Structures are given as C-alpha cells and as structure tokens.
Amino acid sequence: MFTEQDHHYMALAIKLAKQGHYTTSPNPRVGCVLVHEEVIDRVAAEREKINTQIIGTGFHQKAGQGHAEVNALLDATTNNPHLIKGSTAYVTLEPCSHFGRTPPCAQALIDAQVKRVVVAMVDPNPEVSGRGLAMLEQAGIQIAFGLLENEAKSLNVGFINVMTKALPYVRVKLAASLDGKTAMKNGESKWITSTNARFDVQKLRAQSCAVITGADSILTDNAKMTVRLVGIRRFKG
C-alpha cells in the first residue's frame, strides 16, 4: 500500500526525470528524491504523525554521467549529510545493479544506508530486471515498486521497446495536402504545416536517436534534419 506521501514524492521524481528528456539517450530518463522521515508523535502506533523532509534530489542528465540516485545522494551529502542514513529513496526506475560507464546505483544506496527504496517501474532490460531490487532487499533495505508505473513508463517508451522487443520506437511525421501531395509536379514546395506543427517536429527530432527520410529530401531539398529549436536544455560534459 502506498501512502499519499509516497505518491507526492514519486510524482516529484517523475517531474525531475523529465528534465533529462532530450539529453539522456541512449540511457533512460530517471529521477530520484531522497526523503528523511521523523516520527513526531509517539502516543500510539496507529496515531503516529510523521514529519518528512526532502534532503536530496537528482536526475540523470547525460549518458556517461551520474545516474539519478548518485546525483540525489550527492545533493544530500552537500546539504544534509547527517540525514541520509535511514532515509527513503523514491526512484522512477529500478536502480541499476551492474557496472557500466558508471558504478551500480543499488550499491550506492546500500552504502548510503538508506532504509527504504520505492521504485516506479522495474528495469525492462531482461538481463538485469529485478537484480537491483534483489540487491537492496538482501542488504536489508525495504523495497516497494509499481507506484505511478504508467507515468514512469511514458518517460521511456523508446528504451522500453528496445529492451523488451529489440526494436526501435518509431514515430512517423508526414506533411501532405488534402489530395495526398507533398509538392507540386514541378518539384516546387513550401511549408504546408502550421508553426505549431513545425515546433512539434523539432521536439520530436530532439528526442530521437536517429532520423530517417527519403533520398529526395536530401538530394533535392538539401534537408539537414537538424534540431533548430531554441531553448532545448542540453547538458555538456
């Protein structure tokens, strides 16, 4: 059973994950919130009142850099190091259990001595799925998963498709007139989409790993298929 408090902090973790929307590829977008809990009324167990405090937040910014859990722990270490032990971590994706370009996040949470880890969705990668949760549980950490799972899945539809089906997630965009044409007979063409539609295309390009187009678009139109949207947040490193 998840509490209203659990929902609140997981929703915040999902919001954090969205900040890496255009920059984490090929890694998934993940957010993490660390919360310290303190019982402030011990009159009776059924009447316990708990005061909560966010002690650290983080999200995965770019492949090869720190994952969400590591960034949240770093934030907490900087501002509230004495409150990390015994805290609760809310993570949108199961903490990784293997060494990749960075060390496993499950071990980082174990080393930090958190008390509880709440996960939105289990890692869809069949080679590691469930292993991070198992590591945490074996270390004596309370685990729970499935909170706001659908919202977490919507963050990473491409990543999930690759991991579960070994296929890319494909989006198709076509600009055509009512008669199904994309240009005049002589090859002359101009925008037939609205400003909003062109804006959407730029966002789709920015979140895609690859863009596929017809040969004529390149040879005739010299289309670069680059992202020309101002204001997309990108993380350097």
Side-chain angles (χ1 to χ4, degrees), residues 16-166:
L16 285 165
K18 291 179 179 179
Q19 293 188 50
H21 191 76
Y22 299 108
T23 57
T24 65
S25 180
N27 288 359
R29 298 140 187 156
V30 185
C32 178
V33 176
L34 288 173
V35 176
H36 172 72
E37 299 177 351
E38 179 182 6
V39 177
I40 59 175
D41 184 355
R42 300 178 183 273
V43 176
E46 65 271 13
R47 290 170 52 198
E48 277 187 349
K49 293 182 180 179
I50 299 177
N51 182 41
T52 62
Q53 174 188 353
I54 295 176
I55 60 173
T57 61
F59 64 97
H60 185 40
Q61 297 182 3
K62 188 176 181 180
Q65 297 183 4
H67 290 185
E69 300 92 323
V70 172
N71 288 334
L73 287 169
L74 179 61
D75 184 33
T77 300
T78 302
N79 300 299
N80 303 285
H82 60 293
L83 299 178
I84 297 176
K85 183 178 179 179
S87 62
T88 295
Y90 294 88
V91 194
T92 59
L93 180 67
E94 176 185 1
C96 60
S97 58
H98 60 288
F99 280 88
R101 296 170 70 178
T102 59
C105 293
Q107 189 61 53
L109 293 171
I110 292 170
D111 293 342
Q113 296 182 288
V114 302
K115 178 181 70 176
R116 178 175 177 242
V117 176
V118 181
V119 173
M121 64 172 288
V122 176
D123 194 325
N125 184 345
E127 295 184 2
V128 299
S129 181
R131 293 185 181 180
L133 293 174
M135 281 182 62
L136 295 169
E137 193 168 34
Q138 289 168 8
I141 296 174
Q142 301 171 30
I143 62 169
F145 57 91
L147 175 60
L148 300 184
E149 183 177 20
N150 289 335
E151 289 84 345
K153 285 182 176 180
S154 68
L155 290 169
N156 295 299
V157 290
F159 177 75
I160 294 171
N161 221 49
V162 169
M163 289 299 165
T164 58
K165 302 177 182 179

